[in-house]
Amino acid sequence: MSDDNVVNMNSFKQGGRWLVTILVIAVIALLGTQSFAIISAGHSGIVLQLGAVQPKVLQEGLHFKIPFIQTVIPIEVRVQKSETSQTSASRDLQTVSTTIAVNHHLDANSVNKLYQQVGLDYNTRIVDPAIAEALKAVTAQYTAEELISKRSEVSAKVKELLTTKLSTYYIVLDEINIREFTFSEEFNRAIESKQIAEQQALKSKLDLERIKIEKEQEITKAQAQAEALRLQKQEVTPELIQLRQIEAQLEAIRKWDGKMPNVTGGAMPFIDVNKQ
């Protein structure tokens, strides 16, 4: 065998070794990436083994899995917000459009059951229909006016009913917020007319009470004056009259300037100061 053939053979063998080495490294790297799963914060991991959901749920962190046999599906378990508007009927058959915001999260230890029973599209399949059903069931128990005046009570009942419905599918309800109730134009006009009538009735009532109070004040004043006159009449005696006459005569003497009155054709007036 010539030297050239020997060199070519050695080169081929070395190239083959490098190729095998690269393949081995690639396989090891592939096995390495397929052997571990990282679950991010706020998520849980659903383990599938040959397509079957496993009972173990992976929590945050690094986890080992069987390469090519097991698959890990991460699913978010943080609080999520669903906001929707639903139309329903009140007890008095008024059309009510309710805008509601719902905060909820998945049970981190039961996401495998949720995935097995519902899948990942649980908002469309479970949450939204449950909100609509709860709103319709509760609003039907109240009149349109009561939905406004008893808003906190309505909200509490919706939350209670919705909690029960969602918990069946391992969804935890955190809080709900009924943003607004919207009614028909006819109902809004009726409410406005009623408010105006109530305000007018209240004004009339206040005016009537004011007039009544004024009349009572006038009566009280007249009664007081009558009582004062009665008391004064009781106090007028002959002695009091005589005293007032003497006081009048004394006042006349005090004002006399010492001159006799110049009177003709009549008797001279005199003041009897000796009268007792």
Side-chain angles (χ1 to χ4, degrees):
M1 183 178 294
S2 65
D3 293 338
D4 292 338
N5 291 334
V6 172
V7 172
N8 291 333
M9 184 64 69
N10 290 334
S11 298
F12 178 77
K13 289 180 179 180
Q14 290 178 355
R17 291 193 188 98
W18 278 109
L19 180 60
V20 171
T21 302
I22 293 173
L23 289 175
V24 170
I25 293 174
V27 170
I28 293 174
L30 181 61
L31 289 174
T33 57
Q34 291 294 319
S35 299
F36 297 94
I38 298 176
I39 306 300
S40 303
H43 291 72
S44 290
I46 303 168
V47 181
L48 302 180
Q49 184 166 315
L50 298 177
V53 177
Q54 299 302 297
K56 182 180 180 180
V57 176
L58 304 181
Q59 303 303 326
E60 300 174 5
L62 181 65
H63 301 273
F64 175 79
K65 65 185 182 71
I66 302 174
F68 308 108
I69 302 297
Q70 291 182 333
T71 304
V72 176
I73 300 176
I75 186 170
E76 187 176 11
V77 294
R78 289 178 291 206
V79 175
Q80 303 177 52
K81 177 182 177 181
S82 297
E83 185 168 347
T84 182
S85 293
Q86 299 292 336
T87 301
S88 55
S90 62
R91 193 177 67 193
D92 53 350
L93 302 181
Q94 293 292 334
T95 301
V96 185
S97 178
T98 308
T99 302
I100 184 173
V102 177
N103 290 338
H104 58 86
H105 69 274
L106 305 182
D107 183 351
N109 297 315
S110 302
V111 291
N112 55 338
K113 298 176 183 178
L114 171 68
Y115 181 81
Q116 192 173 37
Q117 296 178 19
V118 180
L120 297 177
D121 194 18
Y122 52 87
N123 276 320
T124 302
R125 295 183 178 182
I126 302 299
V127 177
D128 292 343
I131 293 173
E133 186 176 352
L135 282 175
K136 289 179 180 179
V138 174
T139 53
Q141 302 175 22
Y142 296 87
T143 64
E145 291 188 43
E146 288 174 340
L147 290 174
I148 300 174
S149 61
K150 299 181 179 180
R151 186 169 184 155
S152 58
E153 180 180 324
V154 173
S155 180
K157 284 193 175 183
V158 172
K159 183 177 181 180
E160 180 182 0
L161 184 57
L162 192 55
T163 297
T164 302
K165 291 181 177 296
L166 295 182
S167 63
T168 305
Y169 297 96
Y170 316 102
I171 301 173
V172 180
L173 179 63
D174 296 303
E175 192 57 70
I176 72 166
N177 180 21
I178 297 179
R179 296 189 178 276
E180 65 175 345
F181 291 113
T182 304
F183 304 95
S184 64
E185 289 296 329
E186 292 78 6
F187 178 78
N188 290 334
R189 285 195 292 268
I191 289 295
E192 184 178 357
S193 299
K194 181 179 179 181
Q195 290 176 343
I196 293 174
E198 289 177 348
Q199 291 174 355
Q200 292 176 343
L202 178 60
K203 182 178 181 299
S204 299
K205 181 179 179 181
L206 293 176
D207 289 342
L208 182 61
E209 291 179 353
R210 177 180 56 80
I211 294 172
K212 181 179 179 181
I213 292 173
E214 290 176 352
K215 289 295 183 183
E216 290 176 350
Q217 290 175 343
E218 291 178 359
I219 292 173
T220 302
K221 183 178 179 180
Q223 289 175 343
Q225 291 176 346
E227 181 66 15
L229 291 174
R230 185 183 67 81
L231 293 175
Q232 289 178 2
K233 185 177 181 180
Q234 290 178 352
E235 293 175 356
V236 176
T237 62
E239 290 79 7
L240 180 61
I241 295 174
Q242 185 178 8
L243 177 61
R244 293 291 182 264
Q245 290 175 346
I246 294 172
E247 289 176 348
Q249 292 174 356
L250 291 175
E251 180 66 19
I253 293 172
R254 185 180 66 80
K255 293 181 178 180
W256 184 46
D257 56 1
K259 296 179 180 180
M260 296 299 292
N262 187 11
V263 179
T264 59
M268 179 181 296
F270 66 94
I271 299 174
D272 185 4
V273 295
N274 294 320
K275 186 177 181 179
Q276 298 296 325

